[in-house]
Amino acid sequence: MGQKKDLTGSERSKIVRYLAEGCSSLKIAKLLKRDHRTIKCFIQNSQQGRKKRVDKPRCKITAHELRKVKRAAAKMPLATSLAISQSCSITGVPKSTRCAILRDMAKVRKAERRPPLNKTHKLKRQDWAKKYLKTDFSKVLWTDEMRGSLDGPDGWARGWIGKGQRAPVRLRRQQGGGGVLVWAGIIKDELVGPFRVEDGVKLNSQSNCQFLEDTFFKQWYRKKSASFKKNMIFMQDNAPSHTSKYSTAWLARKGIKEEKLMTWPPCSPDLNPIENLWSIIKCEIYKEGKQYTSLKAVVAAARNVDGEQIKTLTESMDGRLLSVLAKKGGYIGR
């Protein structure tokens, strides 16, 4: 005799509805043209409810093995729980136990990204800190570029959705959200820009100088007083378009040369306060999972940054220099 088919989802729904209407199991079997024992068995299993999960005791490891795991996790912070266990010659331990043991002594964190610093880099960072230790950083204009998009840093957003409510709809674009490159600067408590780099423009020495002429110099620098221009120090990183002979000579013709143009140590984004500003701007632009339909809106949103936040960043430079010297040119974080 062949094996009978299981109840379909539709049949189970009908059984529940018929039971609510007061039908007996025998009547339901006749209505569905199924065996009475099949219907009865389904009703009995449904009434029993879901079995409670019984927590099994964790597979134990010795105190000696626990110490080996702790040492291995410190040596291999990005390794999997299986790799850590295997390095300690611990076998037969399920994944749930391995992860539970590691959770008791560690926490899953994302690896920090930082530029490589060799001995020469560290020495130059120390020399830079000593040179500018007595500088009035309220007169320094810190500059950099940032790339933004219509959909946020990764185009992904999540949030708390109430029960019974549908998640909000996010636009899905065929070729991504598009990108916009902006240039900005900060000095004391003021945000300079941000100014948008036109689409398709590659910032080499010539185009970078032309961009600064059309935006920074014409729209901001020219409006400043002569005394301000005399005391201002211009800072930019060591990108090839910034440090080329063409760019250096062009800035010198604009009066930004020698002590008015800050030298910058290699591999040092952690020393530039505007790098922290980019994080603040992105949080402001993309808060609550915002999306944009125009790249101009991204630039406009970036201008709504509190002056007190900018002032806090520019005033942090004295502490950053002291940290560089204390760490002998090492990375200080942001």
Side-chain angles (χ1 to χ4, degrees), residues 61 65-66 68-69 82 84-93:
I61 64 174
E65 290 175 329
L66 192 62
K68 289 172 68 176
V69 169
L82 178 60
I84 292 173
S85 297
Q86 289 175 343
S87 68
C88 300
S89 302
I90 300 174
T91 57
V93 180

Side-chain angles (χ1 to χ4, degrees), residues 157-218:
R158 66 176 180 177
W160 297 99
I161 310 299
K163 293 182 178 179
Q165 296 181 347
R166 294 188 63 183
V169 177
R170 283 180 64 83
L171 299 176
R172 181 180 178 183
R173 308 176 205 276
Q174 187 68 22
Q175 299 296 331
V180 55
L181 182 66
V182 296
W183 179 98
I186 54 174
I187 181 169
K188 200 174 180 179
D189 59 353
E190 184 179 357
L191 174 65
V192 182
F195 301 115
R196 178 184 171 185
V197 179
E198 292 299 322
D199 296 337
V201 175
K202 185 177 180 180
L203 288 181
N204 53 30
S205 299
Q206 290 79 10
S207 60
N208 180 65
C209 292
Q210 186 61 49
F211 170 77
L212 291 176
E213 174 66 31
D214 296 338
T215 55
F216 168 68
F217 282 101
K218 285 185 178 180

Side-chain angles (χ1 to χ4, degrees), residues 42-59:
F42 170 76
I43 295 172
Q44 289 175 349
N45 292 338
S46 301
Q47 290 173 346
Q48 286 178 359
R50 187 176 179 182
K51 292 183 179 180
K52 291 185 178 180
R53 178 181 173 182
V54 179
D55 292 330
K56 296 181 181 179
R58 184 191 296 179
C59 180

